[in-house]
Amino acid sequence: MQRIDLIPQRFRQGAERMAQAFRDMDQVVVAAHVNPDGDAAGAVAAACHVLRSMGKEFMVYAQPGLPAYLDFFPMPGVVHTTLEHPPFKPRCAVLLDCGEPERLGRELAARLPELMTINIDHHLGGDGMGSAANWVEPTAAATAQLMAYVALAAELPLTGDLATAIALGIITDTGGFCHGNTSADVLYLTAHMVEHGCDIALLRERLENTWSRGRLTLWGQLLQRASLERRGSVCFCPVHLEDLRKCGALKEDLEGFVEQLRRLRGVHVAAVLREDSPNCCKFSLRSYGSIDVRAAAARLGGGGHRNAAGGTLRADMAVASAQLLAAIAEELDAEGVA
Ligand code: 5GP
Ligand code: MN
């Protein structure tokens, strides 16, 4: 298959437009949403590879840095957690996988008016964040998938660390090629990278088989705590700060936990509520099929995708739990789920 054929027709114009916008930039901050996941990190790395191939100056900004489970991942450049001492005066920014300016982190969000920005994303509602160029495609499985097309439009081969970055994003956001967003386009793209040396099994191994004892203990305790609500259609688990401390686990050790709750037969919505500080809780929602947890999250000021969404509640755990379960119930009522 020709490289250009890997870009689906509907994405070609956008990919070409973004490649041109990259050429028109220099002194670039590359960033994604706070608490970056595999897609955010993969898309950021891919953008850096494109900028590097064009001879541009760039710096990676991530708040509060990359999670420890991505330690193995070759990020092209130092990850800056503040913009206070940049290696150059930033003039431009590439924003990735982030539906709202606030999710970039306060420091970068405040600097946006003075930067020329490109925005590339697959979240609904992220339109209008790029002052120089904006490309939002909710039908893309991952922002890293879109970055692959930009790289192809910039005539880069999808090999080596660039391919690893794209595969990391795709594996993360498709749940290892399992979620409903695992399109033929994603599989063609991945097949091409595998054909050219990308080792998917090794990547999965490095991502999955690195649990700490603390994480195992935490999951064991939480699996016992999870409760069924609304006659079994909702599985809910609250996680207190104390739980992490007692188990010797980190916030990021909860990555992937909410998916386990969805595995129970009859559960339509899985919900985890994590206490980050006494009056601030983060929630994660998962569903499948037509059940729209993004709508439930949006009622509480959050966002995401139809089957995977999240947000933050400024309340204590008791109040936040009630608000979260009420928003989920409203959505299930709207869908006619008993
Ligand atoms: P997770 O539950 O894994 O943190 O996030 C699931 C999905 O919801 C991701 O697509 C993520 O971008 C989105 N999401 C999580 N937290 C927030 C939030 O606070 N605001 C918005 N708009 N989206 C969020
Ligand atoms: Mn994503």
Side-chain angles (χ1 to χ4, degrees):
M1 192 182 267
Q2 292 291 309
R3 264 197 250 146
I4 192 74
D5 294 337
L6 287 166
I7 311 180
Q9 195 65 43
R10 70 185 193 286
F11 291 151
R12 274 191 201 164
Q13 207 198 354
E16 298 283 355
R17 198 161 50 80
M18 292 305 119
Q20 188 53 48
F22 272 63
R23 285 183 201 107
D24 294 341
M25 292 192 143
D26 209 348
Q27 287 87 43
V28 191
V29 178
V30 185
H33 60 77
V34 290
N35 300 315
D37 60 4
D39 187 32
V44 163
C48 292
H49 286 293
V50 172
L51 289 165
R52 180 177 282 167
S53 77
M54 294 174 173
K56 310 291 187 182
E57 275 191 293
F58 63 85
M59 64 176 277
V60 176
Y61 171 76
Q63 256 299 325
L66 294 192
Y69 70 86
L70 292 178
D71 278 352
F72 74 92
F73 176 65
M75 184 58 87
V78 179
V79 176
H80 293 259
T81 55
T82 161
L83 295 170
E84 267 169 36
H85 307 290
F88 51 80
K89 183 171 165 28
R91 290 198 305 120
C92 306
V94 176
L95 313 175
L96 298 150
D97 200 42
C98 185
E100 292 131 41
E102 307 79 59
R103 291 201 79 218
L104 290 167
R106 218 168 281 158
E107 201 183 7
L108 180 55
R111 299 281 292 276
L112 289 186
E114 61 197 78
L115 298 170
M116 183 179 145
T117 52
I118 295 180
N119 177 48
I120 302 177
D121 189 18
H122 69 137
H123 291 90
L124 269 175
D127 291 306
M129 257 169 67
S131 61
N134 204 49
W135 192 31
V136 178
E137 297 284 0
T139 65
T143 302
Q145 180 193 356
L146 295 174
M147 271 314 306
Y149 301 145
V150 177
L152 288 167
E155 297 183 350
L156 257 69
L158 301 185
T159 53
D161 288 350
L162 172 58
T164 303
I166 293 159
L168 170 66
I170 289 175
I171 287 174
T172 302
D173 274 20
T174 61
F177 307 102
C178 284
H179 297 337
N181 57 4
T182 311
S183 60
D185 295 334
V186 162
L187 294 171
Y188 285 135
L189 177 62
T190 309
H192 170 86
M193 297 193 296
V194 169
E195 196 177 3
H196 291 83
C198 181
D199 192 339
I200 297 288
L202 180 65
L203 190 50
R204 284 276 293 176
E205 172 76 26
R206 287 180 170 173
L207 271 173
E208 301 291 331
N209 302 346
T210 56
W211 285 31
S212 64
R213 185 68 202 226
R215 180 170 174 147
L216 198 72
T217 311
L218 179 70
W219 281 44
Q221 295 194 358
L222 295 179
L223 285 171
Q224 295 201 27
R225 178 183 306 164
S227 64
L228 284 172
E229 311 287 334
R230 247 190 86 103
R231 294 172 299 284
S233 60
V234 177
C235 189
F236 172 64
C237 187
V239 187
H240 300 267
L241 274 172
E242 187 66 4
D243 296 319
L244 302 181
R245 197 190 57 74
K246 269 204 253 159
C247 298
L250 303 169
K251 254 186 347 190
E252 65 200 50
D253 288 323
L254 279 169
E255 190 79 32
F257 180 71
V258 65
E259 278 80 8
Q260 304 311 314
L261 306 185
R262 192 176 45 177
R263 303 179 81 142
L264 262 177
R265 197 189 296 266
V267 165
H268 291 272
V269 174
V272 168
L273 183 68
R274 184 188 78 206
E275 180 182 35
D276 278 351
S277 64
N279 273 306
C280 183
C281 311
K282 161 92 176 78
F283 64 86
S284 282
L285 301 176
R286 298 293 184 270
S287 64
Y288 57 86
S290 67
I291 308 287
D292 186 0
V293 284
R294 195 192 74 88
R299 283 193 189 96
L300 302 171
H305 308 277
R306 188 175 60 187
N307 297 142
T312 300
L313 288 166
R314 307 229 166 256
D316 65 26
M317 285 292 275
V319 171
S321 300
Q323 288 176 341
L324 182 59
L325 290 170
I328 295 167
E330 239 180 284
E331 188 49 36
L332 290 175
D333 286 341
E335 290 281 340
V337 175

